Amino acid sequence: QGPAQVWRAADGRNWSQVTPSWVSANGSLMDLTTFGAYLYAGTSNASGGELWRSDGNAWEQVASGGFNDATNTSLEHLAAFENMLYAATGNSSGISQIWRSPTGAAGSWEKVKDDLGGVMQAFNGYLYVGGSRNGKAELWRSDDGASWAPVFSDGLGDENTHVAALAEFKGELYIGLRNTSTSGQ
């Protein structure tokens, strides 16, 4: 299996490859987001997820080895919130983490939360993180990125196992739920 690839198109139809010079161990590109003047790419890697950024011309590695924790096998979700860039890890031990940086540059990242990870969305003055714990969908939020409180942790009273997607649309927050018994919601 070759490495994950990055492609771009100015018109949405004619694509050219702009993949960083990462190794083939970066088997999946997990998320892309913009922050400041850069495009960020989070990967999965058995030796620890990596984070790369590009100014549109060149790529540079921002983090490797899962933020120096090889059990952080992927940098799954990225989000900008309150002048910070956030990254949620996928962790082989099941204990995901939230990291953040004011610049996105190498050496500027700090861990802000253990045992929390998943899809992220800024909405109405909060950063929301949706995921799963003990087989139940859960949603958390923070107004400062450091202190987190649950919005719900019961799957919304159904057999919903994961918050699989978050999006803001026309002033409302939407969630997509995974439910293996009665179908997604």
Side-chain angles (χ1 to χ4, degrees):
Q1 168 179 325
Q5 299 177 357
V6 181
W7 292 68
R8 71 177 171 201
D11 62 3
R13 296 184 69 184
N14 297 298
W15 295 88
S16 60
Q17 190 178 49
V18 293
T19 302
S21 59
W22 56 41
V23 297
S24 62
N26 284 322
S28 297
L29 180 63
M30 303 304 292
D31 200 5
L32 292 168
T33 197
T34 57
F35 180 70
Y38 294 95
L39 172 68
Y40 288 81
T43 72
S44 68
N45 186 314
S47 299
E50 296 182 356
L51 187 62
W52 291 73
R53 73 180 184 181
S54 175
D55 61 3
N57 295 309
W59 287 92
E60 68 177 319
Q61 188 177 49
V62 174
S64 63
F67 294 116
N68 297 317
D69 179 348
T71 63
N72 286 329
T73 55
S74 59
L75 302 184
E76 292 188 344
H77 303 284
L78 306 169
F81 175 69
E82 298 291 324
N83 300 314
M84 299 280 242
L85 179 60
Y86 288 79
T89 69
N91 190 289
S92 61
S93 70
I95 302 173
S96 299
Q97 301 169 353
I98 304 285
W99 289 73
R100 73 177 176 188
S101 167
T103 65
S108 68
W109 290 84
E110 69 172 337
K111 182 171 51 171
V112 293
K113 181 74 172 139
D114 272 319
D115 202 21
L116 183 63
V119 294
M120 294 190 287
Q121 176 68 48
F123 175 73
N124 222 17
Y126 291 92
L127 180 60
Y128 288 82
V129 174
S132 177
R133 187 183 317 265
N134 301 320
K136 294 283 187 182
E138 66 176 3
L139 185 67
W140 291 67
R141 74 179 190 175
S142 174
D143 63 356
D144 63 5
S147 301
W148 295 85
V151 176
F152 66 82
S153 58
D154 62 357
L156 288 178
D158 204 344
E159 294 182 38
N160 298 312
T161 60
H162 294 79
V163 173
L166 290 167
E168 182 274 330
F169 181 65
K170 293 188 178 184
E172 296 189 277
L173 182 62
Y174 287 77
I175 60 173
L177 297 165
R178 180 178 179 194
N179 184 314
T180 57
S181 296
T182 60
S183 74
Q185 299 181 4

